[in-house]
């Protein structure tokens, strides 16, 4: 029996009937697939964004997204979160401080997020400004190189939804030794990182005391989210983009790519990954 068979379906997955072809023969099977629903983020009664996301850990998503989009500057500006089923998806009702709401109204832009897009819905190129990071101060925390591989190996073992469906990304947070302490999954790599940030903030964990690992490429927006969350290091299993490398350098974030098979490549601020680090 493979991962898609049987009766158990983890949160964020559902069953569908399918036809499997193998060795010249076809058979009817029950397969697990990742759920992907429109999720509306509504601030003080005003709909701001609709993202396609996996419907799990949505309170974490609301907090992480709000920080990454600079809607709030601190999790304390979020007073309440309600997750409700809507006609065609899910609505997350978020109550935020009046000052944050004023900033949101000034910069509000309607956008439809997609799982492979980082800048959907922006109104002009003026918004796209790599210098406008508003990042938290990133400390010069040091990590042993082995910590990256310990965390990435643990992340592969902790992807419950991906093991069941083969269709989602994961983001994890590890301490300085590489012990993986928090994992979030989603069909969108950006969403998975938002959920991770939200989970850490809600648990009042110091994001700067460890680093993030992701099962995707490191794009501009992934680095931007890491910088705004205060991660000193972002480690990706795949490659970065040129713009991501540039932004990581500007933001003071150590960016590592191709973290797999006992090797990795450091693209910015290599001083944080020292063999003698403890």
């Amino acid at each position: 029996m493979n991962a898609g068979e049987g009766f158990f379906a983890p949160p964020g997955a559902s069953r569908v009937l399918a036809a499997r072809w193998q060795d010249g023969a076809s058979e009817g099977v029950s397969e697990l697939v990742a759920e992907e629903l429109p999720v509306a983020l509504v601030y003080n009664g005003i709909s701001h964004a609709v993202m396609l996301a996996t419907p799990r850990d949505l309170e974490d998503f609301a907090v992480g997204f709000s920080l990454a989009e600079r809607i709030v500057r601190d999790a304390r500006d979020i007073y309440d979160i309600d997750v409700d089923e809507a006609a065609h998806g899910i609505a997350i009702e978020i109550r935020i401080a009046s000052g944050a709401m004023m900033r949101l109204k000034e910069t509000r832009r309607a956008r439809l997020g997609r799982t492979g897009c980082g800048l959907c819905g922006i109104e002009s190129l003026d918004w796209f400004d790599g210098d406008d990071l508003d990042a938290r101060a990133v400390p010069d925390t040091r990590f042993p190189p082995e910590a990256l591989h310990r965390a990435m190996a643990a992340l592969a073992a902790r992807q419950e939804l991906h093991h069941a469906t083969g269709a989602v990304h994961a983001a994890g947070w590890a301490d300085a030794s590489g012990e993986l302490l928090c994992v979030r999954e989603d069909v969108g790599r950006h969403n998975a990182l938002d959920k991770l940030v939200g989970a850490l903030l809600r648990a009042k964990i110091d994001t700067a005391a460890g680093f993030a690992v992701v099962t995707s490429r490191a794009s501009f927006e992934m680095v931007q989210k890491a910088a705004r969350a205060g991660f000193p290091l972002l480690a990706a299993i795949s490659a970065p983009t040129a713009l991501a490398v540039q932004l990581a350098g500007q933001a003071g974030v150590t960016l590592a790519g191709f973290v797999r098979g006992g090797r990795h490549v450091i693209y910015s601020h290599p001083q944080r990954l020292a063999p003698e680090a403890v």
Side-chain angles (χ1 to χ4, degrees):
M1 180 177 295
N2 68 14
E5 297 176 332
F7 296 99
F8 172 72
S14 57
R15 290 200 165 275
V16 298
L17 296 178
R20 180 192 299 151
W21 189 91
Q22 184 175 350
D23 298 327
S26 180
E27 62 174 334
V29 294
S30 171
E31 288 286 314
L32 282 173
V33 295
E35 294 179 351
E36 183 179 32
L37 294 176
V39 176
L41 293 111
V42 183
Y43 294 90
N44 293 2
I46 298 176
S47 182
H48 172 67
V50 178
M51 308 295 289
L52 291 171
T54 301
R56 59 186 281 175
D57 302 311
L58 291 179
E59 291 86 354
D60 295 339
F61 180 48
V63 174
F65 178 88
S66 298
L67 177 71
E69 294 296 304
R70 296 178 297 175
I71 294 168
V72 299
R73 306 300 170 91
D74 191 286
R76 290 173 295 184
D77 286 337
I78 298 177
Y79 295 156
D80 192 38
I81 300 173
D82 288 319
V83 179
D84 301 309
E85 292 188 7
H88 302 291
I90 294 174
I92 308 178
E93 301 280 349
I94 308 162
R95 190 165 64 89
I96 60 177
S98 58
M101 192 63 199
M102 286 180 63
R103 290 194 301 271
L104 177 59
K105 287 180 177 179
E106 290 172 358
T107 61
R108 184 169 172 256
R109 53 189 172 84
R111 62 184 259 178
L112 172 63
R114 303 183 188 278
T115 57
C117 180
L119 294 171
C120 296
I122 65 172
E123 294 177 349
S124 75
L125 290 176
D126 292 338
W127 180 89
F128 183 72
D129 184 355
D131 294 327
D132 186 19
L133 264 176
D134 191 29
R136 298 184 176 188
V138 179
D140 194 23
T141 312
R142 304 298 176 101
F143 305 97
E146 296 79 11
L148 300 188
H149 300 278
R150 181 185 181 193
M152 194 66 79
L155 184 62
R158 298 254 311 258
Q159 295 176 59
E160 173 197 44
L161 188 55
H162 183 71
H163 292 161
T165 67
V168 300
H169 284 292
W173 185 84
D175 66 14
S177 71
E179 182 180 358
L180 194 67
L181 300 178
C182 185
V183 176
R184 291 295 183 266
E185 294 181 279
D186 197 275
V187 289
R189 55 196 169 88
H190 305 132
N191 300 342
L193 188 53
D194 281 340
K195 288 180 177 180
L196 175 68
V197 172
L200 296 174
L201 293 179
R202 294 179 72 208
K204 296 181 171 56
I205 293 174
D206 180 10
T207 56
F211 60 93
V213 287
V214 295
T215 61
S216 65
R217 70 182 185 273
S219 62
F220 168 88
E221 193 174 26
M222 297 292 277
V223 172
Q224 185 183 62
K225 289 177 184 294
R228 288 178 175 167
F231 293 129
L233 187 154
L234 176 65
I237 199 171
S238 192
T241 64
L243 196 58
V245 173
Q246 176 184 334
L247 183 63
Q250 294 173 354
V253 173
T254 298
L255 178 60
F258 297 107
V259 183
R260 58 194 183 201
R263 66 182 289 266
H264 60 264
V265 180
I266 308 172
Y267 295 90
S268 62
H269 302 283
Q271 75 278 0
R272 283 204 184 88
L273 286 168
E276 67 275 10
V278 293

